[in-house]
């Protein structure tokens, strides 16, 4: 059974930083491309970042490029997302996910965790 458990969310002021973590189980993490996606209030799922199994190929949404950094530690079945220079529009529930695809500006994932809330506000 696939399990993805996120942590690290919380309240942060604009310009602040946060580190999100995800621990995976129930599948061979070492061979899976992994994703971070997010859902803001009243909106659909939005792709944030992708990292391939070996960590060599990484991609970011334009909205977070230069501010967020994805990484993974395969020996710990763990995925990370470093968030910095946070803005109010980054407020969302952040999900660790696998088997994602974006179609017509919508993102769909085969498996995702319960999410961790990041709130950026004064």
């Amino acid at each position: 059974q696939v399990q993805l458990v996120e942590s690290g969310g919380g309240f942060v002021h604009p310009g602040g930083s946060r580190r999100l973590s995800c621990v995976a189980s129930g599948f061979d993490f070492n061979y899976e491309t992994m994703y971070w996606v997010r859902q803001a209030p009243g909106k659909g799922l939005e792709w944030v970042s992708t990292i391939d199994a070996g960590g060599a190929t990484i991609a970011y949404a334009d909205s977070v490029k230069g501010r967020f950094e994805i990484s993974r530690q395969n020996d710990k079945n763990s995925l990370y997302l470093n968030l910095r220079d946070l803005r109010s529009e980054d407020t969302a529930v952040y999900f660790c996910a696998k088997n994602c695809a974006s179609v017509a500006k919508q993102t769909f994932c085969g498996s995702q965790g319960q999410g961790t809330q990041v709130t950026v506000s004064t």
Side-chain angles (χ1 to χ4, degrees), residues 32-50:
E32 287 282 347
T33 291
M34 296 298 297
Y35 303 81
W36 284 101
V37 295
R38 67 185 181 183
Q39 188 165 23
K43 297 189 177 180
L45 210 57
E46 176 191 14
W47 170 70
V48 173
S49 184
T50 305

Side-chain angles (χ1 to χ4, degrees), residues 21-98:
S21 300
C22 170
V23 178
S25 61
F27 63 101
D28 199 335
F29 181 81
N30 290 348
Y31 293 97
E32 287 282 347
T33 291
M34 296 298 297
Y35 303 81
W36 284 101
V37 295
R38 67 185 181 183
Q39 188 165 23
K43 297 189 177 180
L45 210 57
E46 176 191 14
W47 170 70
V48 173
S49 184
T50 305
I51 185 167
D52 74 348
T57 301
I58 288 172
Y60 297 99
D62 287 343
S63 59
V64 307
K65 200 173 293 183
R67 301 187 299 119
F68 290 11
E69 181 179 11
I70 192 171
S71 62
R72 65 191 295 160
Q73 194 164 354
N74 285 352
D75 62 341
K76 293 187 176 181
N77 280 14
S78 293
L79 181 72
Y80 306 100
L81 188 67
N82 283 324
L83 294 69
R84 63 178 180 85
D85 191 21
L86 283 162
R87 307 166 182 169
S88 57
E89 54 263 39
D90 296 318
T91 294
V93 179
Y94 285 74
F95 300 92
C96 166
K98 63 192 282 293

Side-chain angles (χ1 to χ4, degrees), residues 8-14 18 41 83 86-94 116-122:
F11 180 92
V12 60
H13 293 296
R18 206 78 187 178
L83 294 69
L86 283 162
R87 307 166 182 169
S88 57
E89 54 263 39
D90 296 318
T91 294
V93 179
Y94 285 74
T116 186
Q117 174 74 48
V118 174
T119 301
V120 185
S121 176
T122 55

Side-chain angles (χ1 to χ4, degrees), residues 93-109:
V93 179
Y94 285 74
F95 300 92
C96 166
K98 63 192 282 293
N99 301 125
C100 296
S102 292
V103 178
K105 296 186 179 181
Q106 293 190 74
T107 297
F108 304 90
C109 297

